[in-house]
Amino acid sequence: MKKNRWYNWKEKLHDVIFESTTPEGKLFDIVLIIAIICSCLLVMAESIESLREKYGTIMSYAEWLFVASFSIEYVLRVISSKRRLKYITSFFGIIDLLATLPVLISFFVPSANYLVIVRIFRLLRLFRVLKMFRYVDEARFLLKALRASRPKVIVFLLVIFSIITIVGSLMYVIEGPENGFSSIPESMYWAIVTISTVGYGDISPQTGIGKFFASALMIVAYGILAVPTGIISYELAQSAKTATKKTCTNCGNAYSDMPAYCSKCGNKLNE
Amino acid sequence: MKKNRWYNWKEKLHDVIFESTTPEGKLFDIVLIIAIICSCLLVMAESIESLREKYGTIMSYAEWLFVASFSIEYVLRVISSKRRLKYITSFFGIIDLLATLPVLISFFVPSANYLVIVRIFRLLRLFRVLKMFRYVDEARFLLKALRASRPKVIVFLLVIFSIITIVGSLMYVIEGPENGFSSIPESMYWAIVTISTVGYGDISPQTGIGKFFASALMIVAYGILAVPTGIISYELAQSAKTATKKTCTNCGNAYSDMPAYCSKCGNKLNE
Amino acid sequence: MKKNRWYNWKEKLHDVIFESTTPEGKLFDIVLIIAIICSCLLVMAESIESLREKYGTIMSYAEWLFVASFSIEYVLRVISSKRRLKYITSFFGIIDLLATLPVLISFFVPSANYLVIVRIFRLLRLFRVLKMFRYVDEARFLLKALRASRPKVIVFLLVIFSIITIVGSLMYVIEGPENGFSSIPESMYWAIVTISTVGYGDISPQTGIGKFFASALMIVAYGILAVPTGIISYELAQSAKTATKKTCTNCGNAYSDMPAYCSKCGNKLNE
Amino acid sequence: MKKNRWYNWKEKLHDVIFESTTPEGKLFDIVLIIAIICSCLLVMAESIESLREKYGTIMSYAEWLFVASFSIEYVLRVISSKRRLKYITSFFGIIDLLATLPVLISFFVPSANYLVIVRIFRLLRLFRVLKMFRYVDEARFLLKALRASRPKVIVFLLVIFSIITIVGSLMYVIEGPENGFSSIPESMYWAIVTISTVGYGDISPQTGIGKFFASALMIVAYGILAVPTGIISYELAQSAKTATKKTCTNCGNAYSDMPAYCSKCGNKLNE
């Protein structure tokens, strides 16, 4: 009998922590989201020197409070989860652990504690909590298109990487260390800054021939920039075309739009 | 009888101010547009010091003249509008109010008067005045595509915001205040400047490992930049497909293309 | 009889200058293209001080030679053209005139002579000369898509211009002249540099709140940048769909692809 | 008999070097890829001064080892290849030669040895080795779309080049050498940096009118940037439409989709 009670206790805890159907579960999720946002803002505030000087002690107490709460929450999640190993090795399980770990590491490596900002990923639970299934669908749609475009993107990245290496070396030979291109890796960094059209201007070609090659690279970058965009537009259109939005329960006919009746057997389709 | 005359007077005023079908309404609109453009140019001119020193007094008189006229116009609009509350809370109602308000506020907060530039939005009436219905249609078409892509864009913005926070914190830990990354918000500002490929160069990574992560961010930004473009291209194509260009007057069937006869009831469709 | 001879002389001249079907016409076109390229390179070389100091006199003689030749060519073109007024007011007629005029103006306004570079537009004749009809077709296809997207682009530009004005004024109020935002037009210039993701970095926000608004503008610029791309992709797809590549001479049926036989009446279609 | 043995020896060598079906061929390819990556990293490391000072002698020995191995490999490839001339003039043949040549040239032109980085292109063999045929297919698909968009892109580049020349000259006249626009080629470099939205900021307009024209160029660049993206999206969609996914083994009819039966002769199509 006692074991059953214990089981119920664990079951209850699971519902509160992992589900958001019960009022307690909903409240828990809302409190958690507020805590995550506050703790992230706290980490950001801690990094601003003027604020750290004034409110340093309070901030560090608050941080320890968050670390303690999140640690307890993590332990409770592990205890109450139905498939413990699966939770621990899942994306959210690792993020939940990383949300507290860096502070403990910061005893040894100072300033590592800022990495607790990784807890911002915990906000992705927001989707589930707010029942934003439509948004989850859209995210899935985007991910599907991105996944479908992976082979094209890998081919594209290999070509880009080759171009960056060649251009980086060429510019190192042309411009040399005296014009800021101090080594091939440095030149490759310049090539990436240029080809992505970021263009900080911390390194820029000084000689005429260097400027000529840089111009050629920019014109090429123009066309190159267009390729991933074209790929993604195309894959979005493709995955929209093949997306099954409704299936007839009678004859199994799949529809990519949302008709009211099955056009094959006249069966009324559910929403 | 007198009340009727009064009503007629209000009706007349409404036609002049809100419609542009009568010659008086057209004239009013043209005068208004010229006044708006002049007042905006005046605000811009006022901000240039050399001009302000020379023509400061004249400019401030002119500005007060515009404020007075626009205030009178606003009062007349409120009086003559048929649904007063709807007008006051509408987009144009608020813009019409904001076109004069900041000057009054500038008694308390100096330099707030430059915000009257918001009156440039009043120029959007131009569409209605010039009967550019085709343009309004196009704008509606664009807006429809943008609205349809909203869920995808929100998902996208959440992901971008997470990336910016993580990268910002990481770069703050790697580069530190001595290289210009003085706090996490500052680092996040750098991440936004980089990921949007603006790249001012006021802050840029100095250490080798910082440059490596910045390069990775730029390559990622490449792919990321492609996503909203792909979404918008796709939604434009979608909303074009589902756009109703013709509707059958007999059976109400809507067509996205321009057929001569209704394919459902054979009714001849008008141009 | 004499008039006929005279007519023939003019006719001959017209064929040589305007057509490129006869050997003389072809030779004339090739010589002209080489002359245009040389004259443009000369203008560029003239602007480099070290070269100007060394070869200044020779360059100025060469320039006058080109101006004289192009002037004679222009006069001959006007004389031999069949519809004089139409030629003079056409795009190429104006470019042909501008290819020599700035040098004459440079007697009064020094350094205006560099504007003769406008003669580079004369190279667009290249398309006709090299019989690159396929390229002309492609250019026409692109132009058609661009023209079709004009209303959307105008709506888009109006919105962009409003955003730039508002953001420019806002940043002028926030940052002020002490941070480089010396006037509203200057701030608008900064807004354009930012929204187009060019990002020179000659002006950049210094205050926290300024950086916050700049970040917001960049995120918005992200989405905005996607709109014209989406529009053009969409219009390209549209104009491809509706492009008539072949028309049946028998039944008048239009085809967007290139079939060998008319699918309606079986008539063999010409190439 | 001896000749046959010799032939067999050459055949064997060909299989090891050119094919990757036998275990020896696979091993050879893997060793080669590792050697290429190591040699590229070595070239990069050599360009970093601090490393060169410390490990200069070892590095130069290692480099000579790589050059010797790659030279031997190249000779063996030439000997064992079945169509010698075809291999030597092929893309990979030239790259294989260039992978060693610059080091030999560096006796005469110092720092030319960094150009051996061109051997990174040899990594493109990776596709064949890893049997990533799917990736090769995707690359072919991308190349097909890029090739199809060539005429459009050439038209586009000619227009871009004309704009750059005109804008460059205009800015040279407006800003002049005192504001960094020291010559027309320099101004053209600035125009390319601006139109490609890289924006280093090493040269930027200083006068009001210069800023006005630069702003106009950026707005135009906006639209221009959209054109190649639109072209590539469109061509990707086109080449997907016309891609042959299935061919009927009976009548040879090609299908761009994946039907179960041939629509022409009713033959069942294989997966």
Side-chain angles (χ1 to χ4, degrees):
Chain A
M1 217 60 175
K2 206 188 166 190
K3 203 189 157 228
N4 200 35
R5 221 233 238 115
W6 172 247
Y7 178 80
N8 281 341
W9 179 80
K10 254 178 82 180
E11 186 91 318
K12 188 76 201 285
L13 193 65
H14 177 270
D15 282 1
V16 169
I17 294 182
F18 283 95
E19 307 295 332
S20 52
T21 43
T22 59
E24 293 90 2
K26 226 169 210 166
L27 187 70
F28 177 83
D29 276 334
I30 290 164
V31 169
L32 183 64
I33 283 162
I34 293 168
I36 293 167
I37 292 173
C38 288
S39 73
C40 283
L41 290 177
L42 179 69
V43 174
M44 287 181 199
E46 260 186 306
S47 75
I48 302 169
E49 216 183 330
S50 59
L51 289 176
R52 196 169 53 227
E53 272 168 9
K54 265 197 201 156
Y55 311 105
T57 337
I58 307 164
M59 277 172 169
S60 105
Y61 282 130
E63 181 59 41
W64 278 107
L65 196 73
F66 281 123
V67 169
S69 331
F70 289 155
S71 302
I72 292 165
E73 188 218 332
Y74 181 71
V75 170
L76 289 180
R77 270 180 195 275
V78 170
I79 289 170
S80 70
S81 85
K82 278 165 183 169
R83 300 186 201 166
R84 248 166 242 189
L85 207 76
K86 212 191 156 190
Y87 165 69
I88 292 172
T89 58
S90 74
F91 174 72
F92 278 122
I94 292 164
I95 291 295
D96 289 351
L97 183 63
L98 287 177
T100 58
L101 222 61
V103 179
L104 306 174
I105 296 170
S106 73
F107 279 112
F108 311 101
V109 186
S111 88
N113 64 316
Y114 292 117
L115 294 178
V116 296
I117 202 90
V118 84
R119 58 174 67 140
I120 201 155
F121 278 128
R122 301 188 73 196
L123 281 184
L124 295 178
R125 283 170 202 281
L126 211 70
F127 283 125
R128 209 202 46 207
V129 175
L130 299 180
K131 303 255 175 256
M132 298 195 293
F133 291 122
R134 199 183 155 207
Y135 288 75
V136 173
D137 267 12
E138 295 290 352
R140 208 167 285 154
F141 181 73
L142 273 180
L143 267 183
K144 195 183 157 195
L146 288 177
R147 207 171 295 145
S149 58
R150 204 174 45 186
K152 281 195 202 67
V153 166
I154 288 175
V155 168
F156 174 73
L157 281 180
L158 261 167
V159 171
I160 288 279
F161 191 73
S162 299
I163 291 176
I164 286 166
T165 313
I166 300 295
V167 169
S169 310
L170 203 66
M171 288 303 278
Y172 172 68
V173 172
I174 292 170
E175 293 278 334
E178 63 275 17
N179 290 324
F181 295 77
S182 58
S183 67
I184 289 180
E186 189 83 22
S187 287
M188 286 167 70
Y189 164 72
W190 167 85
I192 292 172
V193 168
T194 299
I195 217 170
S196 64
T197 77
V198 170
Y200 287 131
D202 49 351
I203 313 169
S204 66
Q206 304 297 324
T207 64
I209 194 157
K211 282 176 180 177
F212 177 78
F213 276 102
S215 301
L217 180 65
M218 285 170 217
I219 297 287
V220 168
Y222 229 63
I224 284 171
L225 196 66
V227 173
T229 312
I231 292 171
I232 304 227
S233 306
Y234 165 69
E235 292 295 349
L236 273 173
Q238 281 307 98
S239 64
K241 227 178 266 171
T242 59
T244 303
K245 286 195 179 151
K246 252 184 176 175
T247 312
C248 178
T249 51
N250 188 35
C251 66
N253 210 15
Y255 295 95
S256 61
D257 51 352
M258 306 275 277
Y261 291 88
C262 178
S263 66
K264 210 174 164 187
C265 64
N267 185 29
K268 194 165 194 296
L269 300 171
N270 304 320
E271 269 314 292
Chain B
M1 215 62 176
K2 205 187 165 189
K3 202 188 159 229
N4 199 33
R5 220 232 238 116
W6 173 248
Y7 180 79
N8 281 341
W9 178 81
K10 255 177 81 180
E11 186 92 317
K12 188 78 201 283
L13 193 66
H14 177 270
D15 282 1
V16 169
I17 294 181
F18 283 95
E19 308 294 333
S20 53
T21 44
T22 59
E24 293 90 2
K26 226 168 211 165
L27 187 72
F28 177 83
D29 276 334
I30 290 165
V31 169
L32 183 64
I33 283 162
I34 293 168
I36 293 167
I37 292 173
C38 289
S39 73
C40 283
L41 290 177
L42 180 70
V43 174
M44 288 181 196
E46 260 184 308
S47 75
I48 303 170
E49 216 183 329
S50 59
L51 290 177
R52 196 168 52 228
E53 273 167 10
K54 265 197 202 156
Y55 310 105
T57 337
I58 307 163
M59 276 173 169
S60 107
Y61 283 131
E63 180 59 40
W64 278 108
L65 195 73
F66 281 123
V67 169
S69 331
F70 289 156
S71 302
I72 292 166
E73 188 216 331
Y74 180 72
V75 171
L76 288 180
R77 270 181 195 276
V78 170
I79 290 170
S80 69
S81 86
K82 278 165 184 168
R83 299 187 202 168
R84 248 165 242 188
L85 207 76
K86 211 189 157 191
Y87 166 69
I88 292 172
T89 56
S90 73
F91 174 72
F92 279 121
I94 292 163
I95 291 295
D96 290 350
L97 184 63
L98 287 177
T100 58
L101 222 60
V103 178
L104 305 174
I105 296 170
S106 74
F107 279 115
F108 310 101
V109 186
S111 88
N113 64 316
Y114 292 117
L115 294 178
V116 295
I117 203 90
V118 84
R119 59 174 68 139
I120 201 152
F121 278 127
R122 301 188 73 195
L123 280 184
L124 295 178
R125 284 170 201 280
L126 211 69
F127 283 127
R128 210 203 45 208
V129 175
L130 299 180
K131 301 256 174 256
M132 296 195 296
F133 290 124
R134 200 182 155 208
Y135 289 74
V136 174
D137 268 11
E138 296 290 350
R140 207 168 284 157
F141 181 72
L142 273 179
L143 267 182
K144 194 184 159 194
L146 288 176
R147 208 171 294 147
S149 58
R150 204 174 44 187
K152 283 196 201 68
V153 166
I154 288 176
V155 168
F156 173 74
L157 281 181
L158 262 166
V159 172
I160 288 280
F161 191 74
S162 299
I163 292 176
I164 286 166
T165 312
I166 301 294
V167 169
S169 310
L170 203 66
M171 288 302 280
Y172 173 67
V173 172
I174 293 170
E175 293 278 335
E178 64 274 17
N179 290 325
F181 295 78
S182 59
S183 67
I184 289 180
E186 190 85 24
S187 287
M188 285 167 71
Y189 164 72
W190 168 86
I192 292 172
V193 168
T194 299
I195 217 171
S196 64
T197 77
V198 170
Y200 287 132
D202 50 352
I203 312 169
S204 65
Q206 305 296 324
T207 63
I209 192 156
K211 282 175 179 178
F212 178 79
F213 276 102
S215 301
L217 181 65
M218 286 171 216
I219 298 287
V220 168
Y222 229 63
I224 283 171
L225 197 64
V227 173
T229 312
I231 291 171
I232 303 226
S233 306
Y234 165 70
E235 291 295 349
L236 273 174
Q238 282 306 97
S239 65
K241 229 179 262 171
T242 59
T244 303
K245 287 193 178 152
K246 254 184 176 176
T247 311
C248 178
T249 51
N250 187 37
C251 66
N253 209 16
Y255 294 95
S256 61
D257 50 353
M258 306 276 277
Y261 291 88
C262 177
S263 68
K264 211 175 164 187
C265 64
N267 185 30
K268 193 162 195 294
L269 299 172
N270 305 318
E271 271 312 294
Chain C
M1 217 59 173
K2 206 188 165 190
K3 203 190 158 227
N4 199 36
R5 221 232 238 114
W6 172 247
Y7 180 78
N8 281 342
W9 178 81
K10 257 178 79 179
E11 186 91 322
K12 189 76 200 285
L13 193 67
H14 176 269
D15 283 2
V16 170
I17 294 182
F18 283 95
E19 307 296 330
S20 54
T21 43
T22 59
E24 294 88 2
K26 227 169 211 164
L27 187 70
F28 177 84
D29 276 333
I30 291 165
V31 169
L32 182 64
I33 282 162
I34 294 169
I36 293 167
I37 292 173
C38 289
S39 73
C40 283
L41 290 177
L42 179 69
V43 174
M44 287 180 197
E46 262 185 304
S47 74
I48 301 169
E49 215 184 331
S50 60
L51 289 177
R52 196 168 52 227
E53 273 168 9
K54 264 197 204 157
Y55 310 106
T57 338
I58 307 164
M59 277 173 168
S60 107
Y61 282 130
E63 181 58 42
W64 278 108
L65 196 73
F66 281 123
V67 169
S69 330
F70 290 155
S71 302
I72 291 165
E73 188 217 332
Y74 181 71
V75 170
L76 289 180
R77 271 182 195 275
V78 170
I79 290 170
S80 70
S81 86
K82 279 166 184 168
R83 300 188 202 167
R84 248 166 243 188
L85 205 77
K86 211 191 158 191
Y87 165 69
I88 291 172
T89 56
S90 73
F91 174 72
F92 278 122
I94 291 164
I95 291 295
D96 289 351
L97 184 63
L98 287 177
T100 58
L101 222 60
V103 178
L104 305 174
I105 295 170
S106 73
F107 280 113
F108 310 102
V109 187
S111 89
N113 65 315
Y114 292 118
L115 294 178
V116 296
I117 203 90
V118 83
R119 58 175 68 140
I120 202 154
F121 278 127
R122 301 189 72 196
L123 281 184
L124 296 178
R125 284 169 201 280
L126 211 72
F127 283 126
R128 209 202 46 208
V129 176
L130 298 181
K131 301 255 173 258
M132 297 194 296
F133 291 123
R134 200 182 154 208
Y135 288 73
V136 175
D137 267 11
E138 296 289 351
R140 207 168 285 156
F141 181 71
L142 273 179
L143 267 182
K144 194 184 158 194
L146 287 177
R147 208 170 295 147
S149 57
R150 205 175 43 188
K152 282 196 201 66
V153 165
I154 288 176
V155 168
F156 173 73
L157 282 181
L158 262 167
V159 172
I160 288 279
F161 191 73
S162 299
I163 291 176
I164 287 166
T165 313
I166 300 295
V167 170
S169 310
L170 203 66
M171 288 302 278
Y172 172 68
V173 172
I174 292 170
E175 293 278 335
E178 63 275 17
N179 290 325
F181 294 77
S182 58
S183 67
I184 288 181
E186 190 84 22
S187 287
M188 286 168 70
Y189 164 72
W190 168 85
I192 292 172
V193 167
T194 299
I195 217 171
S196 64
T197 77
V198 170
Y200 288 131
D202 49 351
I203 313 169
S204 66
Q206 304 297 324
T207 64
I209 193 157
K211 283 176 179 178
F212 177 79
F213 276 103
S215 301
L217 180 65
M218 285 171 217
I219 297 287
V220 167
Y222 229 62
I224 283 172
L225 197 65
V227 173
T229 313
I231 291 172
I232 304 230
S233 306
Y234 165 70
E235 291 294 349
L236 274 174
Q238 280 307 97
S239 65
K241 227 180 265 170
T242 59
T244 303
K245 284 193 180 154
K246 253 183 176 177
T247 310
C248 178
T249 51
N250 187 36
C251 66
N253 210 16
Y255 294 95
S256 61
D257 50 353
M258 306 277 277
Y261 291 88
C262 178
S263 68
K264 210 174 164 187
C265 63
N267 185 30
K268 195 166 192 294
L269 299 172
N270 305 319
E271 271 312 293
Chain D
M1 219 59 173
K2 205 187 165 191
K3 203 193 157 223
N4 200 36
R5 220 232 237 114
W6 172 246
Y7 180 78
N8 281 342
W9 177 81
K10 257 179 78 180
E11 186 91 320
K12 188 76 202 284
L13 193 67
H14 177 269
D15 282 1
V16 170
I17 293 181
F18 283 95
E19 307 293 333
S20 53
T21 44
T22 59
E24 294 90 0
K26 226 169 212 165
L27 186 72
F28 177 83
D29 276 333
I30 290 164
V31 169
L32 183 63
I33 283 163
I34 293 168
I36 292 167
I37 292 172
C38 289
S39 73
C40 283
L41 290 177
L42 179 69
V43 174
M44 287 181 197
E46 260 185 306
S47 74
I48 302 169
E49 216 183 330
S50 59
L51 290 176
R52 197 169 52 226
E53 272 168 10
K54 266 196 202 156
Y55 311 105
T57 338
I58 307 163
M59 276 174 169
S60 107
Y61 283 131
E63 180 58 41
W64 278 108
L65 196 74
F66 281 123
V67 168
S69 330
F70 289 156
S71 302
I72 293 165
E73 188 217 331
Y74 181 72
V75 170
L76 289 180
R77 271 183 194 274
V78 170
I79 289 171
S80 70
S81 85
K82 277 165 183 169
R83 299 188 202 166
R84 249 166 243 189
L85 206 76
K86 210 189 158 190
Y87 165 69
I88 291 173
T89 56
S90 73
F91 175 72
F92 279 121
I94 291 163
I95 291 295
D96 290 351
L97 184 63
L98 287 177
T100 59
L101 222 59
V103 179
L104 306 173
I105 296 170
S106 72
F107 279 114
F108 310 101
V109 187
S111 90
N113 64 316
Y114 292 117
L115 294 178
V116 296
I117 203 91
V118 83
R119 57 175 69 139
I120 201 153
F121 278 128
R122 301 189 73 196
L123 281 184
L124 296 178
R125 283 170 201 282
L126 211 70
F127 283 126
R128 209 202 47 210
V129 175
L130 299 181
K131 302 252 173 261
M132 297 194 295
F133 290 123
R134 200 183 153 207
Y135 289 74
V136 173
D137 268 11
E138 296 289 352
R140 207 168 285 156
F141 181 72
L142 272 179
L143 266 182
K144 194 183 158 195
L146 287 177
R147 208 171 293 145
S149 57
R150 204 175 44 188
K152 281 195 203 66
V153 166
I154 287 176
V155 168
F156 173 73
L157 281 181
L158 261 167
V159 172
I160 288 280
F161 191 73
S162 299
I163 291 176
I164 286 165
T165 312
I166 301 295
V167 169
S169 310
L170 203 66
M171 288 303 278
Y172 172 68
V173 172
I174 292 170
E175 293 278 334
E178 64 275 17
N179 289 325
F181 294 78
S182 59
S183 66
I184 289 180
E186 190 83 23
S187 287
M188 286 168 71
Y189 164 72
W190 168 85
I192 292 172
V193 167
T194 299
I195 216 170
S196 65
T197 77
V198 170
Y200 287 131
D202 50 351
I203 312 170
S204 67
Q206 304 297 324
T207 64
I209 193 156
K211 282 175 179 178
F212 177 80
F213 276 102
S215 301
L217 181 66
M218 286 170 215
I219 298 288
V220 168
Y222 229 63
I224 283 171
L225 197 64
V227 173
T229 313
I231 291 171
I232 304 226
S233 306
Y234 165 69
E235 291 295 347
L236 273 174
Q238 281 307 97
S239 65
K241 227 179 264 170
T242 59
T244 303
K245 286 192 179 153
K246 253 183 175 176
T247 310
C248 177
T249 50
N250 187 36
C251 66
N253 210 15
Y255 294 96
S256 61
D257 51 353
M258 306 276 277
Y261 291 89
C262 178
S263 67
K264 208 173 165 186
C265 64
N267 185 31
K268 196 167 194 293
L269 300 171
N270 305 318
E271 271 310 294

